[in-house]
């Protein structure tokens, strides 16, 4: 039988798949805590320097500085303030640099070794990430000692690592590699988990296995063909901006006035309505993928820009915090749409390569994001101006991309070339047939 037919017999989304999904959802809470760790572990409370002149060395600074709050962090322990403050941002940036390295090496590796072994070095989904941020803020509120907070936030990783050995390999990947018998065993495992009697599953031999140079040739096609090259450049910038603004605003939660833990929780929970909001708009004929992405990015950009014109003590409903939260909501919605939109813009033969390149560019935005809030030392309005200009520019660039709603997804690169290209191609083929 065909693979899709076998999935229908096993159960498309039975108890087995639900248990696996629940595991990945819980994993994302842990991933969110890792991504946000430096926001609280590296938080800088209000402080006072005893003498008027700023000490030049860290040792002198330690003798004269007095921190006012009741929590500890790496900043309070090692006096990472003033000329040493960049080290906090560097620690966060290195985390995203690690994600970038993982993206480069483990993405292609997952096509060769399988999804399960590579998963044990990373994560797969972005579900419940927003809730994970709020949970981390809750932990930080009750755990004020930074080492214990880091221990509690990191320790679930051991639990998830051990449970990872229980995950079955992807049947589709096994089948694509020609491992038909192993794919059949996994399907039997899923069927038993779904409460079905033992089925007789005999898959047809796979027509062709995945070639090792598929990813390399796919990336080459992105550069070689003008239509793909133009789309890739625009999408790379959009992904970069989404990551820069998303993580930049998240890290800015610690820079805003008010309760630090409430700010962090709000910056996570504000994303919860983003998913249903974007799902509503992208399916409407009057908005679609392109207009919705454009609108969300431009709205996020202007929300960030307008924060610089509002005073801090203007009340919550007219405060920079509310505008920044609105910006976080809309850039999060745009981020969700971009995953879908990008998949539909690339033809099937180069879709994995296109998504891989865009995802890699996204990590560069994450690497730079921690340093943007620290630009307030130049001027308090600079960070939000950077986020604002980035969001608005990416929004307008999105208008250069075609709409994909209710349009067939291209299977080959030739499908993107348009009717003129197809006519010339058919004419050339006919001439060759006549000559032969």
């Amino acid at each position: 039988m065909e693979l899709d037919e076998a999935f229908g017999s096993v159960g498309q989304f039975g108890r087995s798949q639900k248990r696996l999904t629940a595991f990945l959802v819980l994993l994302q809470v842990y991933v969110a805590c890792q991504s946000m760790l430096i926001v609280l572990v590296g938080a800088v409370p209000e402080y006072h320097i005893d003498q008027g002149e700023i000490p030049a060395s860290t040792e002198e600074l330690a003798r004269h500085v007095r921190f006012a709050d009741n929590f500890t962090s790496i900043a309070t322990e090692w006096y990472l303030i003033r000329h040493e403050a960049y080290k906090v941002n560097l620690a966060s940036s290195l985390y995203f640099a690690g994600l970038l390295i993982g993206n480069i090496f483990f993405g292609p590796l997952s096509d060769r070794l399988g999804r399960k072994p590579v998963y044990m070095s990373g994560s797969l989904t972005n579900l419940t990430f927003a809730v994970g941020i709020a949970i981390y803020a809750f932990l930080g509120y009750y755990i004020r000692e930074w080492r214990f907070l880091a221990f509690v936030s990191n320790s679930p990783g051991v639990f998830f690592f051990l449970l990872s050995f229980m995950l079955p390999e992807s049947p589709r990947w096994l089948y694509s590699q020609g491992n038909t018998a192993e794919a059949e065993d996994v399907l039997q495992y899923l069927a038993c988990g779904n409460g079905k009697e033992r089925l007789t599953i005999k898959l047809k031999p796979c027509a062709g296995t995945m070639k090792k140079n598929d990813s390399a040739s796919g990336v080459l096609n992105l550069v070689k063909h003008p239509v793909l090259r133009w789309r890739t450049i625009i999408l790379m910038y959009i992904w970069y901006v989404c990551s820069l603004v998303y993580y930049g605003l998240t890290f800015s939660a610690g820079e805003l006035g008010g309760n630090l833990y409430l700010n962090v929780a709000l910056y996570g929970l504000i994303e919860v309505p983003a998913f249903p909001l974007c799902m509503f708009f992208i399916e409407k004929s009057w908005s679609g993928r392109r207009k919705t992405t454009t609108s969300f990015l431009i709205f996020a950009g202007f929300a960030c820009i307008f924060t610089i014109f509002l005073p801090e003590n203007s009340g919550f409903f007219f405060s920079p915090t509310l505008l920044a939260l609105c910006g976080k909501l809309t850039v999060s919605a745009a981020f969700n749409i971009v995953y879908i939109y990008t998949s539909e813009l690339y033809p099937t033969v180069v879709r994995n390569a296109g998504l891989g390149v865009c995802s890699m560019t996204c990590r560069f935005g994450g690497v730079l994001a921690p340093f943007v809030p620290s630009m307030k030392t130049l001027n308090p309005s600079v960070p939000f101006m950077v986020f604002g200009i980035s969001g608005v520019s990416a929004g307008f660039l999105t208008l250069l991309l075609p709409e994909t709603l209710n349009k067939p997804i291209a299977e080959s690169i030739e499908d993107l070339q348009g009717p003129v290209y197809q006519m010339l191609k058919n004419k050339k083929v006919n001439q060759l047939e006549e000559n032969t």
Side-chain angles (χ1 to χ4, degrees):
M1 65 176 69
E2 298 288 346
L3 185 61
D4 288 335
E5 182 183 353
F7 269 111
S9 301
V10 168
Q12 290 286 359
F13 196 66
R15 290 198 301 267
S16 289
Q17 291 92 334
K18 289 177 181 177
R19 284 195 295 267
L20 296 174
T21 301
F23 173 79
L24 296 175
V25 165
L26 290 174
L27 170 69
Q28 198 62 14
V29 175
Y30 166 72
V31 174
C33 292
Q34 300 306 298
S35 301
M36 296 294 296
L37 188 69
I38 201 66
V39 176
L40 298 182
V41 168
V44 181
E46 293 184 5
Y47 60 87
H48 173 72
I49 299 177
D50 292 338
Q51 62 184 38
E53 184 178 349
I54 299 175
S57 66
T58 304
E59 292 76 12
E60 293 179 9
L61 191 64
R63 289 196 295 267
H64 297 284
V65 72
R66 297 291 181 270
F67 291 103
D69 218 320
N70 61 342
F71 65 85
T72 66
S73 69
I74 59 175
T76 63
E77 180 158 338
W78 293 310
Y79 299 93
L80 301 181
I81 57 176
R82 300 287 183 171
H83 57 281
E84 296 289 327
Y86 76 94
K87 294 180 180 178
V88 177
N89 299 322
L90 180 61
S92 182
S93 184
L94 288 174
Y95 170 81
F96 287 97
L99 293 181
L100 172 61
I101 295 171
N103 204 121
I104 295 172
F105 289 100
F106 291 104
L109 202 60
S110 67
D111 288 332
R112 299 188 184 186
L113 301 182
R115 269 56 178 175
K116 178 185 172 182
V118 176
Y119 155 72
M120 294 181 183
S121 303
S123 61
L124 295 178
T125 68
N126 58 2
L127 297 175
T128 67
F129 192 89
V131 177
I133 294 176
I135 291 175
Y136 178 62
F138 177 82
L139 290 175
Y141 180 78
Y142 286 100
I143 304 174
R144 299 300 180 96
E145 205 283 316
W146 74 268
R147 281 191 173 84
F148 189 42
L149 175 60
F151 173 79
V152 172
S153 301
N154 283 283
S155 55
V158 178
F159 169 76
F160 285 112
F161 177 78
L162 294 176
L163 286 183
S164 298
F165 291 98
M166 300 173 59
L167 288 177
E169 184 54 88
S170 165
R172 291 189 183 276
W173 180 83
L174 290 170
Y175 186 69
S176 70
Q177 296 293 311
N179 300 326
T180 306
E182 294 181 34
E184 292 170 352
D185 292 340
V186 174
L187 290 170
Q188 289 284 6
Y189 168 80
L190 295 175
C192 293
N194 290 337
K196 295 181 178 291
E197 297 179 359
R198 185 167 181 83
L199 304 175
T200 302
I201 299 176
K202 189 65 179 176
L203 297 174
K204 294 181 180 179
C206 184
T209 60
M210 190 181 299
K211 298 179 181 179
K212 292 184 178 180
N213 62 346
D214 277 351
S215 58
S217 61
V219 173
L220 184 62
N221 283 326
L222 299 181
V223 179
K224 184 169 62 175
H225 297 276
V227 62
L228 289 176
R229 183 166 61 244
W230 183 239
R231 287 188 184 184
T232 301
I233 291 172
I234 295 175
L235 286 170
M236 286 171 66
Y237 181 71
I238 293 171
W239 279 66
Y240 161 79
V241 168
C242 284
S243 179
L244 177 73
V245 178
Y246 175 88
Y247 287 108
L249 287 176
T250 304
F251 294 140
S252 296
E255 307 287 337
L256 297 173
N259 188 286
L260 170 64
Y261 307 99
L262 179 60
N263 287 341
V264 173
L266 287 176
Y267 267 73
L269 294 176
I270 195 64
E271 296 180 46
V272 173
F275 183 77
L277 192 65
C278 66
M279 288 297 104
F280 172 80
F281 283 107
I282 64 174
E283 296 299 329
K284 301 299 180 183
S285 58
W286 45 267
S287 55
R289 274 71 159 149
R290 183 179 63 172
K291 291 180 181 178
T292 304
T293 305
T294 297
S295 301
F296 280 144
L297 285 172
I298 291 177
F299 186 95
F302 279 119
C304 292
I305 292 173
F306 288 154
T307 58
I308 67 179
F309 300 109
L310 294 179
E312 285 288 345
N313 57 353
S314 55
F316 178 76
F317 292 101
F318 298 97
S319 68
T321 301
L322 180 61
L323 275 178
L325 287 171
C326 291
K328 178 69 185 298
L329 168 64
T330 49
V331 77
S332 177
F335 219 160
N336 286 329
I337 299 170
V338 164
Y339 280 92
I340 301 170
Y341 193 24
T342 302
S343 299
E344 296 175 347
L345 283 170
Y346 283 113
T348 303
V349 292
V350 293
R351 184 167 298 123
N352 284 342
L355 284 168
V357 169
C358 292
S359 180
M360 185 171 61
T361 311
C362 167
R363 300 307 177 195
F364 282 107
V367 169
L368 295 178
F371 290 99
V372 178
S374 64
M375 296 173 68
K376 68 177 184 179
T377 56
L378 303 175
N379 189 291
S381 63
V382 170
F384 284 99
M385 188 61 70
V386 171
F387 297 144
I389 294 175
S390 300
V392 171
S393 60
F396 281 114
L397 276 177
T398 306
L399 292 174
L400 299 177
L401 297 172
E403 179 57 69
T404 59
L405 178 63
N406 298 326
K407 293 183 179 180
I409 297 177
E411 296 294 332
S412 63
I413 298 174
E414 287 76 14
D415 294 340
L416 301 177
Q417 306 294 341
V420 174
Y421 175 86
Q422 292 292 341
M423 181 179 67
L424 293 174
K425 180 184 175 183
N426 293 334
K427 184 178 180 180
K428 186 176 181 180
V429 170
N430 292 335
Q431 289 176 348
L432 290 173
E433 289 178 349
E434 291 176 0
N435 293 333
T436 56

